[in-house]
Amino acid sequence: MKVVIIGAQWGDEGKGKIVDYLAEDAKYVVRYAGGPNAGHTIVVDGKQFALHQVPSGILYPEKKVFLGAGMVIDPEKLFAELAMLKENGINWEGRVFISDRAHIILPKYRQMDKDRDSQRKRPIGTTGSGIGIAYSEKSHRDGLRLADLDWKEKMAEFDGEDLEYLNKYRDQLLSMRVDLTAKMWEYRKDNILFEGAQGAMLDIDSGTYPYVSSGASCAAGAETGCGIGPHDLDKILGVFKAYETRVGNGPMPTEFNAESEGELCDYVRNTGREYGVTTGRARRCGYLDLVALRYACRVNSMDGLVLTHLDIYDAMDQIEACVAYEINGKIVTDFPANIDDLNNAKPVLEKFDGWKTPLKEIKSYRKLPKQAKAYIEFIEGFTQTPVDIISVGYERDETFIRKSVWK
């Protein structure tokens, strides 16, 4: 069975934890998009791991993981990440493989990325990881794939620092390469977990363009990024938080107002530890945007949702969620493409009673406070998508399943 995990918001939804949790019953984990701009945080037995390129299933000693064709790989950062894992007792040798069709980030791309963003009239707020440049070179058909390290004519295009850099990592990279399509066919009868990066609202086509990532963070990216076809996917799950966050620039209709809701913003940000894993930047915070979530469910054919950070609201008397936008005096219930409309949108909020109960101590949906259940059931009704998994903390066991993922 093949299951796709994507972010259903603007990234940072807790995908890493959920992939790690579900990987126990998967035989293989494949990351299909993005690069070192991603930051997936996993906590196991109180120990925190921050992964950027290596798929989250690596923490299970018997799992094989793959970096897909849709990724852009930074060799220097990849091998630093692998070294970190080894230092922490995670033996990765013989378990990490890279698609021979994945593209490579050169060191100069990082500065080029920052320079390009600084020259924009409307900066995007890039992480400066060279991601946009690598994808741009790919689209221009001037990029470098892992397979090309064995192509003499292509390698002849590089000299100086670029060639020295590539030669430094060439043998290591080639020793990890695989034909991912062939592997996916070989493993077609096994449980495979596909891990996305960023979030649905940052997808290059269906996100808030141009304030998006350069890769395919949508569910369809699992097909193009892993060398499989649409009929090969069995289930798509979208991970979302009980509230909204965003890093970088771009519209966010439900963002807390700094003047009137600054205290609420600080509470959510600090309680939820809303600081970027890759950049360290404080994330923008706001009310759960159900209009955007429903759009993400529709455009990605989501079979189910995964709700994380529900425990952040434990101490609150009342919580609110956005059910529509007011744009230039009109009520809008579908997510618009126009950036001006999104920037001018005011959230129409629905109020919910708080539960005033520490959810970390609860181990099943049945035992949740009725107020928390009411919030979840409203989300399900609004999005017409079931909430199959609920996370109430950072540890693996602070998660419970309402519907089996692997059936």
Side-chain angles (χ1 to χ4, degrees):
M1 187 170 185
K2 299 179 183 67
V3 175
V4 181
I5 302 295
I6 71 167
Q9 295 167 313
W10 279 284
D12 308 307
E13 304 94 346
K15 296 182 295 298
K17 177 202 167 169
I18 300 304
V19 170
D20 170 76
Y21 182 80
L22 295 176
E24 183 176 8
D25 295 316
K27 193 166 183 180
Y28 308 101
V29 180
V30 187
R31 167 87 178 273
Y32 65 81
N37 57 336
H40 295 172
T41 302
I42 303 167
V43 180
V44 181
D45 297 328
K47 193 171 187 177
Q48 181 171 304
F49 295 85
L51 301 176
H52 300 275
Q53 295 182 90
V54 180
S56 300
I58 192 63
L59 299 185
Y60 290 93
E62 75 282 9
K63 307 296 180 187
K64 290 183 178 180
V65 302
F66 297 84
L67 283 69
M71 288 187 67
V72 286
I73 310 296
D74 185 318
E76 181 181 3
K77 293 183 178 180
L78 172 62
F79 289 110
E81 189 172 321
L82 292 171
M84 175 275 294
L85 288 169
K86 193 166 186 176
E87 289 169 5
N88 284 277
I90 308 298
N91 182 22
W92 63 268
E93 285 93 344
R95 300 196 296 120
V96 179
F97 304 93
I98 309 173
S99 168
D100 53 11
R101 297 177 184 273
H103 280 246
I104 294 175
I105 298 172
L106 293 173
K108 65 184 181 183
Y109 290 180
R110 300 170 200 161
Q111 190 59 48
M112 291 169 65
D113 205 356
K114 296 175 184 176
D115 291 344
R116 181 174 292 183
D117 203 43
S118 66
Q119 293 165 8
R120 289 186 172 105
K121 292 181 178 180
R122 295 174 298 279
I124 293 169
T126 173
T127 62
S129 302
I131 306 298
I133 303 299
Y135 277 118
S136 177
E137 291 293 286
K138 177 179 178 178
S139 295
H140 285 144
R141 292 156 292 180
D142 292 319
L144 177 70
R145 304 174 305 161
L146 178 54
D148 299 336
L149 294 176
D150 257 351
W151 181 14
K152 292 182 180 179
E153 290 182 7
K154 181 66 178 179
M155 293 303 292
E157 298 175 8
F158 299 94
D159 57 18
E161 293 181 357
D162 290 343
L163 184 59
E164 182 181 350
Y165 178 80
L166 293 172
N167 284 335
K168 179 180 178 180
Y169 296 106
R170 179 181 181 278
D171 290 343
Q172 287 175 287
L173 290 169
L174 290 176
S175 71
M176 299 165 68
R177 67 175 168 179
V178 293
D179 180 337
L180 191 54
T181 295
K183 287 296 181 185
M184 292 298 94
W185 178 255
E186 179 184 346
Y187 303 149
R188 64 190 181 280
K189 294 182 180 179
D190 296 312
N191 284 350
I192 305 176
L193 193 60
F194 295 102
E195 176 183 11
Q198 286 77 50
M201 304 309 293
L202 292 175
D203 180 71
I204 189 71
D205 290 310
S206 54
T208 51
Y209 188 90
Y211 301 98
V212 293
S213 184
S214 299
S217 51
C218 60
E223 302 154 15
T224 57
C226 298
I228 61 174
H231 291 300
D232 290 326
L233 299 181
D234 297 298
K235 189 173 292 186
I236 299 166
L237 298 179
V239 184
F240 75 105
K241 285 187 283 206
Y243 49 92
E244 209 84 13
T245 64
R246 181 165 191 166
V247 173
N249 301 328
M252 183 180 170
T254 63
E255 186 169 11
F256 294 135
N257 184 289
E259 295 180 5
S260 60
E261 298 163 326
E263 187 176 341
L264 176 59
C265 181
D266 289 341
Y267 171 79
V268 170
R269 179 180 290 141
N270 293 326
T271 307
R273 300 193 290 186
E274 295 298 349
Y275 297 89
V277 177
T278 301
T279 64
R281 290 182 293 187
R283 295 172 184 145
R284 300 158 61 189
C285 299
Y287 301 105
L288 174 62
D289 189 336
L290 290 174
V291 178
L293 182 61
R294 181 171 61 189
Y295 167 74
C297 289
R298 290 173 175 175
V299 79
N300 288 283
S301 299
M302 289 185 195
D303 298 290
L305 288 166
V306 180
L307 171 57
T308 66
H309 289 65
L310 185 60
D311 54 300
I312 302 306
Y313 283 144
D314 285 356
M316 297 183 65
D317 294 315
Q318 190 178 70
I319 59 178
E320 295 178 277
C322 171
V323 296
Y325 304 140
E326 181 184 335
I327 303 175
N328 299 324
K330 296 182 179 179
I331 299 299
V332 175
T333 56
D334 289 320
F335 192 81
N338 185 280
I339 298 298
D340 269 343
D341 285 347
L342 288 169
N343 284 333
N344 292 323
K346 298 177 182 178
V348 177
L349 300 173
E350 182 90 10
K351 290 181 171 60
F352 301 86
D353 291 332
W355 39 87
K356 308 289 285 187
T357 302
L359 299 186
K360 286 179 181 289
E361 301 173 6
I362 296 173
K363 300 300 180 184
S364 71
Y365 181 79
R366 182 175 59 84
K367 294 182 179 180
L368 280 177
K370 64 179 182 179
Q371 297 91 339
K373 287 182 180 178
Y375 183 57
I376 294 166
E377 289 165 8
F378 185 88
I379 293 169
E380 291 181 311
F382 191 94
T383 62
Q384 292 294 289
T385 309
V387 175
D388 293 342
I389 302 174
I390 298 170
S391 169
V392 291
Y394 294 97
E395 292 281 356
R396 279 177 180 165
D397 63 355
E398 293 172 333
T399 313
F400 44 89
I401 304 284
R402 295 180 70 197
K403 182 180 178 182
S404 176
V405 171
W406 297 106
K407 291 184 181 179

